[in-house]
Amino acid sequence: MAKPTEARQRAILERLDKFSRFTDNSIGIPFTRFQIGAEAIIGLVPVVGDAAGLVLSGYVLVEAQRAGASKDVKLLILRNMGIDFVGGLVPVVGDDFDAIYKANTRNTRLLRRYLEEQLAVEPPPPPFPWKTLIGLSILFGVITAGLMLFF
């Protein structure tokens, strides 16, 4: 698989930002600064809602694969998905945990950090064109010698 371009990686991050905002922070709670997302609402349905949230969170993993994320990053994403799923299953406090943990935002941040590190690494400079330098030097030497013979 070819390495994704910077533009493609930025597009992936933009999609994930929108997705994370929708699933984790799209609904403001009145008279507070706290926000919840669609995943917390879906999670109110016992077990099925948490399973649906797990499936939704899988989208971040799919995008991480498309972006060429390392195995370590994908394992961290899976870990966060698991914590969010299991935490959401806990009776009484599970729904609160879902609203606070915000796994999709965490995973988007993980992928962003990884991709920005990858983009910051400059490719090595091309090797010095010794053959071209030597070839041009010989060519100019021949031209100079030829001109000296005529003048």
Side-chain angles (χ1 to χ4, degrees):
M1 185 170 137
K3 186 174 180 187
T5 63
E6 179 178 350
R8 185 168 172 219
Q9 289 175 338
R10 298 243 182 255
I12 287 170
L13 289 174
E14 188 175 321
R15 283 193 304 270
L16 285 177
D17 283 338
K18 289 177 185 176
F19 174 76
S20 296
R21 222 176 354 266
F22 172 72
T23 59
D24 292 341
N25 296 310
S26 59
I27 304 165
I29 299 192
F31 310 111
T32 71
R33 292 187 300 160
F34 194 73
Q35 295 179 322
I36 61 172
E39 190 172 333
I41 302 299
I42 294 168
L44 292 172
V45 179
V47 183
V48 175
D50 293 310
L54 183 63
V55 170
L56 282 172
S57 293
Y59 174 68
V60 180
L61 187 61
V62 169
E63 288 287 15
Q65 178 66 30
R66 284 184 189 155
S70 71
K71 181 181 177 183
D72 291 339
V73 170
K74 290 185 273 189
L75 285 173
L76 288 171
I77 289 171
L78 281 169
R79 181 198 69 184
N80 285 337
M81 289 169 60
I83 290 170
D84 188 48
F85 177 69
V86 172
L89 291 175
V90 176
V92 182
V93 296
D95 296 322
D96 294 336
F97 180 81
D98 258 347
I100 294 169
Y101 190 68
K102 302 181 187 289
N104 295 322
T105 300
R106 289 172 186 264
N107 289 337
T108 298
R109 198 176 314 128
L110 267 173
L111 185 57
R112 177 180 306 286
R113 203 172 307 128
Y114 172 79
L115 292 178
E116 285 176 352
E117 285 173 8
Q118 296 305 306
L119 294 173
V121 176
E122 290 185 34
F128 189 79
W130 288 106
K131 290 179 184 175
T132 304
L133 178 67
I134 292 170
L136 287 174
S137 296
I138 292 171
L139 178 66
F140 289 141
V142 169
I143 292 172
T144 303
L147 289 174
M148 289 178 74
L149 289 174
F150 287 113
F151 294 108

